[in-house]
Amino acid sequence: MRVLIVGSGGREHAIAYCVAKSGKVDKIYCTPGNAGIAEYAECAPIGAMEFDKIVAYAKEKSIDLVIVGMDDPLVGGLVDELEAAGIRAFGPKKNAAILEGSKAFSKNLMKKYGIPTAAYETFTEPEEALAYLETAKFPIVLKADGLALGKGVLICNTSEEAKEGVKTIMQDKKFGSAGDEIVIEEFMVGREVSVLSFVDGNTIKTMTSAQDHKRAGDGDTGLNTGGMGTFSPSPFYTKEVEEFCNQHIYQATVDAMKAEGRPFKGVIFFGLMLTEDGPKVLEYNARFGDPEAQVVLPRMKNDIIEVVEACIDGTLDQVNFRFEDNAAVCVVLASDGYPVAYEKGFPVTGLERFEQEDGYYCFHAGTKFDGDTIVTSGGRVLGVTAKGKDLKEARANAYAAAEWVKFDNKYMRHDIGKAIDEA
Ligand code: AMP
Ligand code: GLY
């Protein structure tokens, strides 16, 4: 089988790693890919939103299966275009990817079907949003409706901050048309857990849990980023929490999408907050999380192609999920200054060691080849993942391995997984 992966981050590298392990795969392609993915895949410089070119490339290479890793092409309808051209594709169609593409849609869905989430209102007029803030309780959370690279969420402690936020999102259009509508929601307190799942339209099977660290600085300070590190499993995702989510959240979401005439096939990522009143949905994503995928996928024992095909064919109920009984931690190595401004183009060294040591992975996010040299090309450069018998061992291993890699302006958080000490 010939497989094409669409995307260029650590998530797609982790997917490529699993695809390469599958006994069913002869050749892997990736658009656009990066210097790490190039180890497994033939990469072509086609952007993830260049749908016509991706379809033409898939035909030219006689691709049997396309796996779309990224949110933008899913929300934009790449899977629909591939299917229309007779190419098998994994991921939700446009009418289902709206679960991530519109926060107003997902909040309204949860309200309609009684899925636990923060109380909220939606607004398309800034004046109405501002009027609502007059009587609101603080802190409060503002969310641009559409995709905003994970940056469209503002937590506002005061009325002034919130008014400024409405201006930023709806009037200054900092996130473009993603800010045409705004969700204003109750601030929740609790621990966050990410649960990724495979879905075939009817059946949902969840994977092992994980936790992300979204802020740039140690101690959860600084700006929100795409994610600075993850650990898996989360010790806070107990049997009771899982049981609650099975009853009230997971299948309920899949059934709601089906009832709305938007059957979801692909990966649903549940961003959960474990509040005093029980688990609530913070957000849905319509794809693997990044860097969650970098700790979850290396622990999956199943052949990823079998799982993906079961999702497409509607036979997921016959798949038995197996995860390793261990733990993994991923520390993101970023360019200093991320997520705002940073220099790139620096040579990366020390990568060979990951090929020699079992249970250690270096997933590339922002790298490219400059001649034969791998150089930095983005904010998040690499995700260093290590396994261990438990979270503490995995964390120690990941931080040891983070030292193997060198590049100028290397930056990382030093407290990824620190929360496990409180478990
Ligand atoms: P989202 O993109 O919706 O996951 O939001 C990004 C981050 O903002 C989340 O991971 C939370 O840390 C925080 N957040 C979002 N919504 C809320 C909320 N209602 N209460 C508290 N924190 C929130
Ligand atoms: N790690 C969060 C995300 O992928 O959206």
Side-chain angles (χ1 to χ4, degrees):
M1 178 188 277
R2 297 153 75 86
V3 177
L4 169 63
I5 300 168
V6 176
S8 62
R11 163 184 50 215
E12 285 75 24
H13 194 177
I15 293 171
Y17 160 78
C18 288
V19 171
K21 274 199 314 192
S22 168
K24 300 186 149 194
V25 175
D26 305 307
K27 188 151 170 95
I28 311 176
Y29 298 84
C30 189
T31 52
N34 62 38
I37 295 172
E39 188 190 329
Y40 304 114
E42 186 175 316
C43 297
I46 301 173
M49 295 307 285
E50 296 184 291
F51 292 1
D52 291 349
K53 287 188 185 168
I54 294 173
V55 170
Y57 184 73
K59 282 191 176 157
E60 179 197 324
K61 300 292 181 186
S62 308
I63 298 295
D64 301 296
L65 172 68
V66 180
I67 299 178
V68 184
M70 289 172 73
D71 45 359
D72 289 283
L74 289 168
V75 170
L78 177 55
V79 169
D80 306 58
E81 302 241 344
L82 288 163
E83 286 185 358
I87 302 161
R88 249 161 103 74
F90 175 69
K93 289 194 188 183
K94 185 173 182 171
N95 73 349
I98 191 172
L99 192 61
E100 170 164 7
S102 167
K103 290 190 193 284
F105 170 86
S106 68
K107 294 295 292 188
N108 292 338
L109 185 86
M110 287 187 266
K111 187 190 251 178
K112 180 168 173 189
Y113 291 91
I115 298 168
T117 189
Y120 73 101
E121 296 290 337
T122 62
F123 301 93
T124 50
E125 300 302 327
E127 296 74 25
E128 288 171 19
L130 292 170
Y132 174 79
L133 289 172
E134 293 296 334
T135 56
K137 277 204 241 142
F138 295 88
I140 204 159
V141 185
L142 309 186
K143 299 185 173 185
D145 174 57
L147 294 180
L149 295 167
K151 290 171 191 143
V153 174
L154 305 178
I155 295 176
C156 303
N157 289 309
T158 63
S159 165
E160 286 64 44
E161 262 178 64
K163 286 179 184 159
E164 194 54 41
V166 168
K167 184 167 176 291
T168 306
I169 293 174
M170 302 191 85
Q171 289 167 325
D172 302 346
K173 297 273 184 211
K174 178 155 178 213
F175 309 108
S177 59
D180 289 349
E181 188 163 4
I182 195 170
V183 174
I184 303 189
E185 74 175 26
E186 165 204 10
F187 177 75
M188 298 190 287
V189 179
R191 280 193 191 281
E192 289 183 42
V193 180
S194 302
V195 176
L196 314 186
S197 65
F198 285 102
V199 185
D200 74 355
N202 290 299
T203 301
I204 176 164
K205 297 258 169 112
T206 54
M207 296 175 234
T208 181
S209 61
Q211 186 181 320
D212 190 8
H213 299 64
K214 288 207 169 87
R215 308 288 285 271
D218 284 358
D220 288 330
T221 54
L223 294 173
N224 259 327
T225 69
M228 292 301 294
T230 37
F231 59 83
S232 169
S234 164
F236 308 103
Y237 188 68
T238 59
K239 274 272 158 249
E240 293 72 47
V241 171
E242 184 176 13
E243 188 48 40
F244 180 94
C245 297
N246 280 335
Q247 266 187 30
H248 301 284
I249 296 178
Y250 302 143
Q251 190 67 48
T253 301
V254 175
D255 293 346
M257 289 299 281
K258 199 172 142 193
E260 293 294 309
R262 301 169 181 275
F264 192 105
K265 290 186 175 197
V267 171
I268 301 182
F269 164 142
F270 297 84
L272 303 172
M273 180 81 96
L274 309 182
T275 74
E276 272 191 343
D277 305 327
K280 294 189 182 178
V281 177
L282 272 171
E283 63 159 350
Y284 293 116
N285 293 315
R287 44 149 183 105
F288 288 101
D290 194 358
E292 283 87 343
Q294 301 181 46
V295 283
V296 169
L297 288 177
R299 299 184 55 231
M300 188 170 85
K301 290 186 184 173
N302 300 66
D303 182 323
I304 194 169
I305 297 296
E306 281 177 16
V307 180
V308 160
E309 294 210 290
C311 289
I312 298 173
D313 297 336
T315 56
L316 193 62
D317 57 333
Q318 290 160 36
V319 177
N320 190 11
F321 270 91
R322 289 166 296 118
F323 282 84
E324 292 172 1
D325 183 20
N326 56 9
V329 170
C330 170
V331 177
V332 169
L333 306 184
S335 302
D336 194 13
Y338 171 73
V340 185
Y342 46 83
E343 287 180 78
K344 47 194 189 187
F346 298 115
V348 182
T349 59
L351 296 169
E352 324 71 51
R353 191 145 167 209
F354 290 89
E355 281 157 38
Q356 295 146 19
E357 311 252 4
D358 264 0
Y360 292 84
Y361 309 80
C362 189
F363 296 117
H364 293 228
T367 65
K368 64 173 192 186
F369 278 105
D370 180 4
D372 288 339
T373 311
I374 293 181
V375 299
T376 64
S377 68
R380 289 193 292 179
V381 177
L382 301 162
V384 170
T385 295
K387 291 180 186 171
K389 66 176 184 311
D390 55 21
L391 284 164
K392 283 191 177 157
E393 189 179 285
R395 180 175 59 185
N397 292 345
Y399 273 108
E403 296 302 328
W404 302 347
V405 185
K406 305 257 186 287
F407 57 90
D408 283 358
N409 84 344
K410 175 176 135 187
Y411 171 81
M412 67 181 137
R413 273 183 65 165
H414 292 88
D415 61 350
I416 303 301
K418 191 159 179 279
I420 61 184
D421 297 336
E422 297 157 29

